[in-house]
Amino acid sequence: MVAGIGAIVLILAIAAVMLFINLPDANAFNGRVEQLFIENDTLTGNAEIKLLEILAGSGTAFSDTLASYRLVIFVQLVFATAMLISAIAFLVMLIALNRRMSQIERKGIEVNSLLISRDQKSVYLNNFEFKLTEAAIETLSVLAEARMDDEVLSGAEIEGVISGRHASECDEAAGATRIKRLRDTLGNQMVSELLVKNIARKGYMLAIDKDVIRMV
């Protein structure tokens, strides 16, 4: 990355040098006017002298204008270089962030501790407290118990455990609704989506190590 940015800055610096070298000399016009004075010393009339004075003044104005153009071009080149470096830096940061997010999605959220307190209706995830509804606590508790037994529960099975009925008597959509409400209650979309995983054609499970789960 550093080498690439350095190469870009070097290229822009070379381009700037070539541009400034090929710009006309700021005193070129004054030089021509001076040459007119020297080669035409017979121009002694008032009108001719006035014309030469106007030309000399124009040469000075041209010199000042060209000098200001040089400054404007220099500032624009510096600004373009800074913008290009910033764009490359942001691009590298986005690539690194996308890679990090991909790793998180593959591995799941890293949870060092998950404490479920039914009495306080609270969940402590890596020491961050989440206040949940009673229904969300029940759903999370069922998922935690299933995770400790290495089980994946379908929506119907989740509904059956909570309602006390057999899974065959429950609707899959009812359990899916409970999962959705749990995720909504957790709030943070990334945390909730990575914590409660949906296994295709199998069901739902907590994507954490079962040894970090505690229930009180």
Side-chain angles (χ1 to χ4, degrees):
M1 174 182 173
V2 176
I5 294 177
I8 292 172
V9 173
L10 179 61
I11 292 172
L12 289 174
I14 294 174
V17 171
M18 294 299 295
L19 178 62
F20 282 113
I21 289 176
N22 288 284
L23 282 174
D25 186 5
N27 293 315
F29 197 89
N30 283 336
R32 292 298 180 89
V33 174
E34 182 180 356
Q35 186 177 357
L36 282 174
F37 274 105
I38 295 173
E39 293 179 354
N40 299 277
D41 53 356
T42 59
L43 300 176
T44 57
N46 291 332
E48 294 164 339
I49 293 175
K50 188 65 176 177
L51 176 61
L52 292 176
E53 290 177 351
I54 293 173
L55 289 174
S58 299
T60 302
F62 174 77
S63 176
D64 294 340
T65 301
L66 191 56
S68 65
Y69 283 171
R70 288 176 183 271
L71 178 61
V72 170
I73 292 172
F74 176 75
V75 171
Q76 288 180 340
L77 284 172
V78 172
F79 182 72
T81 303
M83 291 295 292
L84 183 58
I85 293 175
S86 299
I88 294 175
F90 279 120
L91 179 61
V92 172
M93 289 174 59
L94 285 175
I95 293 174
L97 182 61
N98 286 335
R99 288 179 178 175
R100 178 59 179 164
M101 290 301 298
S102 298
Q103 292 176 354
I104 293 176
E105 289 178 358
R106 287 195 300 266
K107 296 179 180 179
I109 187 171
E110 185 177 351
V111 177
N112 298 319
S113 65
L114 176 64
L115 175 61
I116 302 174
S117 176
R118 290 181 173 177
D119 293 338
Q120 299 180 5
K121 297 180 182 178
S122 299
V123 174
Y124 297 89
L125 182 63
N126 288 348
N127 296 323
F128 290 99
E129 182 179 5
F130 294 86
K131 288 290 186 181
L132 304 183
T133 64
E134 185 174 351
I137 281 286
E138 289 295 331
T139 304
L140 185 59
S141 299
V142 170
L143 291 173
E145 291 173 355
R147 180 67 188 91
M148 288 188 288
D149 294 332
D150 293 322
E151 295 179 351
V152 178
L153 298 180
S154 66
E157 289 172 333
I158 293 173
E159 179 65 23
V161 172
I162 295 175
S163 64
R165 295 177 294 168
H166 193 272
S168 59
E169 301 175 358
C170 299
D171 188 3
E172 179 70 22
T177 300
R178 290 184 180 273
I179 294 295
K180 182 182 182 303
R181 289 175 179 171
L182 171 62
R183 287 172 170 168
D184 291 342
T185 306
L186 286 173
N188 188 305
Q189 183 177 1
M190 186 183 73
V191 171
S192 60
E193 290 291 338
L194 294 177
L195 179 63
V196 183
K197 299 290 288 185
N198 184 7
I199 310 299
R201 294 184 296 276
K202 290 185 178 180
Y204 304 91
M205 67 172 295
L206 295 183
I208 59 176
D209 190 340
K210 61 182 180 181
D211 295 329
V212 304
I213 300 174
R214 292 172 52 204
M215 302 179 64
V216 294

